[in-house]
Amino acid sequence: MAASDPHQAADPEAVKRHPTLFRAIRKRRNPPLRRTDITVTDDAAVKRAVKAASLGNAMEWFDFGIYSYLAVTIGHVFFPSGNETTQLLSSFATFAVAFLVRPLGGMFFGPMGDKVGRKKVLALTMILMAVGTFAIGLIPSHDTIGVWAAVLLIFFRMLQGFSTGGEYGGASTFIAEYAPDKRRGFFGSFLEFGTLAGYVGAAGLVTALYALLNDAQMEAWGWRIPFLVAGPLGLVGLYLRLRLDETPAFQKLEGGTAHASEAADGVEATAKGDLAKIFRQHWRTLVLCICLVGAYNITDYMLLSYMPTYLSDELGYSETHGLLILLAVMVFLMTIISQIGKLSDRFGRKPLLMTGMLGFLFLSLPAFLLIRIDGILPITIGMLMLGLSLVCMLGTMSAALPALFPTNVRYGSLSVGYNLSASIFGGTTPLVITALISWSGSNLMPAYYAMAAALVGLIAVACMKETAQQPLIGSPPSVETDEEAAELVQSQAPDPKF
């Protein structure tokens, strides 16, 4: 592969003999910035984009959250059996099924987002997610239609998973491409604020249902309510997303003069979105992405999805007890996550991600030992230890991951890498932990699993490049004001690179 620096590509003696020629080559390869090259963001447009993307993410995790928190009840409704563990494993296996098709969704929607634009694909994924979730709430029970109940549940879980394959990659790309370079971490953190909001909404609704209804009512009809609520939520999210313009980075890629719909419609399919090209040219970055996302997803799903089931099924607490504690922890994390994003803008993505990984490596075992102690205080402290480690990743990852890939393949590459990892590691986390506990007899297995994930994550973070306050690969700088743009042009070195 040819070196990008002509000094490296040529004989040093030749460089000395022809300095003017090589200066001209460098200047041609790295032309000085012009004011028109720099994107000056519209603060109102950025906030609208963040709101629409975050709401979609909140809906996604509301959908997955309600399934996790209702896992025991769903097991009774769809997988009747005399064995509680078998029912729970069947329920979590259906949870994991959605993740098996997520890579297919990523491979389908990701390149499409690089071809026709981010906005259209995000609207489509929102529709499919709402339909899949609403339909689950309408499925008759096993007592009514027998095995077809489980078949329909699996089908609509797969539809959810397929649509989710285009959601995170698109939403994080959307925010990253709208945000100014120096505040990408802050604005990106609101995507995961949406994650927590979705979980809080799911946990709050399920907790209220468990408190108001008895077990017979929950199994008869109460479990359907959260799924049916997702339909109207999806329509609200769709409305917000359709009101948005295409991202500035995507429009710049297409010439910078077309309106969003024109830019999206005019892209040639051969220009972008080539899956083979993604795997051939960006496989190293894909591997890095998969390792980062794997470590992050295992710890995320362990705490936010699996923990209530762990407290009720393994430690004997009521469903309401575990959900209320997790609800309090998540609300606290929501209050500080944007500050984590600001810290990542100031100190860099790597220090914050490293802090989160180290937290899980060294605090997981003490945290689970505390959680096993009977009493609200030790359980809350243990979950806060895990939550504070997780929020360092939650507030940083949505800005760090899109910056790994160039603009012309960002949506596709991130969707493929993220969803392959989420499929292999994230969605299987509750199933794997439940199986490990059953196999080993130790209810400390979640801690060991999280520690192993954190170790992989530490290596991945050490290998990644710092991207805070830098332009996205393949896009010009993005700033907040015209004055900042003028200063940037004036301060450029003779051979600027972006």
Side-chain angles (χ1 to χ4, degrees):
M1 183 172 66
S4 58
D5 186 345
H7 285 82
Q8 296 174 355
D11 183 353
E13 293 300 320
V15 175
K16 289 180 182 179
R17 290 196 301 270
H18 306 286
T20 304
L21 173 62
F22 282 92
R23 274 198 302 270
I25 293 173
R26 289 199 307 273
K27 187 172 182 179
R28 184 178 181 87
R29 291 184 175 182
N30 301 290
L33 274 176
R34 298 168 298 176
R35 169 61 190 83
T36 53
D37 293 329
I38 301 172
T39 300
V40 179
T41 60
D42 178 347
D43 189 57
V46 173
K47 289 178 179 176
R48 283 199 306 272
V50 169
K51 184 189 302 182
S54 300
L55 181 64
N57 211 44
M59 180 189 164
E60 175 189 341
W61 298 116
F62 176 85
D63 296 342
F64 278 95
I66 55 179
Y67 191 94
S68 301
Y69 302 148
L70 289 168
V72 175
T73 300
I74 288 174
H76 294 161
V77 173
F78 290 98
F79 306 101
S81 166
N83 189 311
E84 292 283 334
T85 301
T86 301
Q87 287 181 330
L88 190 61
L89 282 170
S90 299
S91 182
F92 278 140
T94 309
F95 178 83
V97 159
F99 286 81
L100 296 179
V101 297
R102 276 184 69 161
L104 299 178
M107 293 177 189
F108 178 79
F109 290 115
M112 183 189 293
D114 286 327
K115 290 177 184 177
V116 304
R118 287 55 165 133
K119 169 186 168 180
K120 290 182 176 180
V121 176
L122 282 174
L124 180 57
T125 60
M126 177 70 79
I127 293 170
L128 291 177
M129 174 61 77
V131 168
T133 307
F134 188 77
I136 289 176
L138 300 176
I139 300 174
S141 68
H142 183 277
D143 291 340
T144 305
I145 60 171
V147 71
W148 285 105
V151 171
L152 288 172
L153 177 65
I154 291 170
F155 173 78
F156 287 116
R157 285 291 296 164
M158 291 175 70
L159 180 62
Q160 282 184 317
F162 188 73
S163 65
T164 305
E167 175 62 38
Y168 183 89
S172 57
T173 294
F174 205 80
I175 292 179
E177 292 183 350
Y178 255 107
D181 295 334
K182 292 185 178 180
R183 301 185 70 195
R184 190 172 296 118
F186 171 70
F187 285 116
S189 68
F190 284 95
L191 186 65
E192 299 297 354
F193 180 91
T195 298
L196 292 172
Y199 274 124
V200 165
L205 182 53
V206 172
T207 301
L209 289 171
Y210 275 129
L212 295 172
L213 305 176
N214 58 39
D215 289 346
Q217 290 172 318
M218 278 297 294
E219 291 184 18
W221 54 269
W223 68 270
R224 300 181 185 276
I225 295 174
F227 290 97
L228 297 177
V229 166
L233 282 180
L235 292 177
V236 173
L238 179 62
Y239 170 73
L240 286 174
R241 286 187 171 180
L242 289 176
R243 290 180 62 221
L244 293 173
D245 289 329
E246 192 52 83
T247 67
F250 185 83
Q251 293 194 59
K252 287 255 182 183
L253 194 66
E254 298 311 310
T257 57
H259 294 294
S261 59
E262 295 169 354
D265 292 338
V267 183
E268 294 184 9
T270 55
K272 295 184 297 296
D274 182 357
L275 272 177
K277 176 182 175 183
I278 290 172
F279 283 106
R280 186 172 59 249
Q281 298 183 6
H282 302 282
W283 66 269
R284 291 182 181 85
T285 314
L286 274 176
V287 171
L288 178 62
C289 178
I290 288 170
C291 292
L292 285 170
V293 173
Y296 158 59
N297 267 204
I298 286 173
T299 52
D300 186 352
Y301 283 98
M302 182 194 71
L303 179 61
L304 302 186
S305 289
Y306 174 72
M307 192 57 72
T309 301
Y310 177 78
L311 290 174
S312 61
D313 200 58
E314 303 298 335
L315 302 185
Y317 292 98
S318 70
E319 286 87 352
T320 306
H321 189 115
L323 280 171
L324 282 173
I325 296 175
L326 180 60
L327 196 59
V329 170
M330 289 192 295
V331 169
F332 172 70
L333 297 184
M334 287 175 69
T335 65
I336 64 172
I337 191 167
S338 62
Q339 300 305 312
I340 299 295
K342 285 183 178 179
L343 288 174
S344 78
D345 283 329
R346 182 176 179 183
F347 298 108
R349 317 290 185 228
K350 293 183 68 170
L352 269 296
L353 291 175
M354 196 69 78
T355 300
M357 299 295 181
L358 287 170
F360 274 106
L361 184 62
F362 292 110
L363 298 180
S364 289
L365 194 55
F368 272 91
L369 289 172
L370 280 170
I371 290 170
R372 291 201 309 175
I373 298 174
D374 190 19
I376 292 177
L377 184 61
I379 293 175
T380 304
I381 293 173
M383 290 176 70
L384 270 176
M385 291 166 66
L386 298 173
L388 289 172
S389 300
L390 179 62
V391 81
C392 291
M393 293 187 273
L394 282 174
T396 308
M397 200 68 79
S398 52
L401 293 176
L404 295 175
F405 302 100
T407 301
N408 65 327
V409 293
R410 180 171 298 121
Y411 196 154
S413 300
L414 182 53
S415 292
V416 170
Y418 187 93
N419 288 294
L420 276 173
S421 189
S423 174
I424 298 168
F425 304 109
T428 59
T429 295
L431 180 65
V432 169
I433 291 176
T434 303
L436 286 173
I437 292 173
S438 178
W439 167 73
S440 67
S442 169
N443 53 22
L444 288 176
M445 290 309 294
Y448 300 134
Y449 196 49
M451 291 166 67
L455 189 59
V456 174
L458 279 171
I459 298 170
V461 174
C463 293
M464 68 180 281
K465 295 179 180 178
E466 183 57 71
T467 57
Q469 300 197 22
Q470 298 176 20
L472 294 169
I473 303 171
S475 293
S478 178
V479 299
E480 292 186 87
T481 64
D482 289 314
E483 292 76 14
E484 191 178 350
E487 290 174 4
L488 185 59
V489 171
Q490 292 173 4
S491 65
Q492 286 298 300
D495 297 316
K497 294 182 179 180
F498 58 84

